[in-house]
């Protein structure tokens, strides 16, 4: 019996192409907040997604080398703050721009607490107060499944997204206007 031997490239050799491929994927920008008191911190992510409606739950991928990771492991609660287009400064602070760390990242924005006690961003498109259901550690990251215990949704505004290494605004009103200008039919209209 003949077998075909496939030579798979070394994972390290695939990293540049993988990064390039993933930059093609548009992701909503969120800030994950953890900790309480003097030990608050957080990080910017574009890897948050809904998991289920029953019960309300989300999934997020977090780098295990992040300063937030040990706090999340210990406390097992977190906030997911879905950013509006005008909150680029928040996204950049929580991404570590300017060397800000820990509680310094929370300056310049208003925060409140609900069920779990983690900070939630006032003015975000939505905030989800979550308890950790499960953490699955793989490679450099962990998949965190969060059970949502409190939700606040703001009036609709433009969302902040990340694409091709840059922040972009996603605004349904502006986008529909641009489609109309190009004479592209509105997908919500039936012929």
């Amino acid at each position: 019996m003949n077998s075909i031997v496939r030579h798979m490239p070394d994972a390290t050799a695939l990293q540049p192409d993988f990064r390039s491929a993933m930059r093609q994927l548009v992701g909503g920008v969120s800030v994950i907040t953890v900790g309480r008191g003097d030990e608050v911190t957080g990080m910017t992510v574009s890897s948050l997604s809904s998991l289920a409606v029953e019960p309300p739950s989300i999934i997020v991928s977090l780098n295990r080398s992040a300063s937030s990771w040990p706090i999340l492991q210990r406390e097992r609660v977190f906030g997911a703050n879905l950013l509006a287009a005008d909150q680029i400064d928040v996204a950049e602070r929580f991404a570590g721009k300017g060397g800000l760390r820990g509680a310094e990242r929370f300056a310049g924005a208003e925060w409140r607490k609900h069920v779990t006690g983690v900070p939630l961003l006032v003015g975000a498109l939505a905030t989800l107060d979550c308890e950790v259901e499960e953490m699955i550690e793989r490679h450099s990251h962990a998949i965190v499944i969060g059970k949502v215990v409190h939700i606040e949704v703001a009036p609709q505004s433009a969302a902040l997204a990340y694409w091709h290494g840059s922040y972009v605004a996603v605004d349904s009103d502006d986008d529909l206007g641009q489609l109309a200008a190009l004479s592209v039919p509105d997908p919500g209209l039936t012929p």
Side-chain angles (χ1 to χ4, degrees):
M1 179 175 196
N2 291 339
S3 64
I4 298 173
V5 177
R6 293 188 179 142
H7 296 284
M8 299 301 288
D10 176 31
T12 305
L14 290 175
Q15 287 178 0
D17 289 339
F18 182 74
R19 283 189 182 104
S20 180
M22 291 299 97
R23 289 173 67 110
Q24 305 303 316
L25 183 64
V26 177
V29 180
S30 300
V31 166
I32 301 299
T33 51
V34 299
R36 299 178 189 117
D38 294 338
E39 203 175 36
V40 295
T41 190
M43 67 184 87
T44 300
V45 301
S46 60
S47 60
L48 185 140
S49 182
S50 64
L51 177 62
V53 173
E54 184 57 40
S57 52
I58 62 172
I59 188 168
V60 63
S61 175
L62 302 176
N63 191 322
R64 293 186 299 133
S65 68
S67 60
S68 302
W69 176 244
I71 298 169
L72 180 62
Q73 283 184 298
R74 184 181 67 243
E75 300 290 329
R76 300 192 62 82
V77 292
F78 66 96
N81 304 275
L82 287 61
L83 299 186
D86 63 355
Q87 295 174 320
I88 292 174
D89 59 326
V90 175
E92 289 181 335
R93 281 198 309 272
F94 280 85
K97 186 174 181 179
L100 298 177
R101 303 183 63 74
E104 295 174 318
R105 294 179 175 181
F106 291 83
E110 185 180 347
W111 302 86
R112 69 173 64 130
K113 298 173 185 170
H114 287 288
V115 178
T116 67
V118 298
L120 299 169
L121 179 62
V122 174
L125 292 177
T127 57
L128 308 171
D129 203 355
C130 302
E131 296 173 346
V132 172
E133 274 192 357
E134 187 174 357
M135 296 178 174
I136 304 162
E137 295 184 34
R138 292 291 185 273
H139 313 296
S140 61
H141 283 63
I143 300 163
V144 179
I145 298 172
K147 176 182 168 188
V148 180
V149 295
H150 181 84
I151 301 169
E152 287 194 4
V153 179
Q156 185 175 353
S157 69
L160 185 61
Y162 195 73
W163 181 61
H164 256 268
S166 299
Y167 294 110
V168 295
V170 178
D171 185 328
S172 63
D173 292 337
D174 286 349
D175 294 339
L176 287 175
Q178 290 177 18
L179 289 173
L182 295 171
S183 299
V184 175
D186 182 340
L189 298 177
T190 56

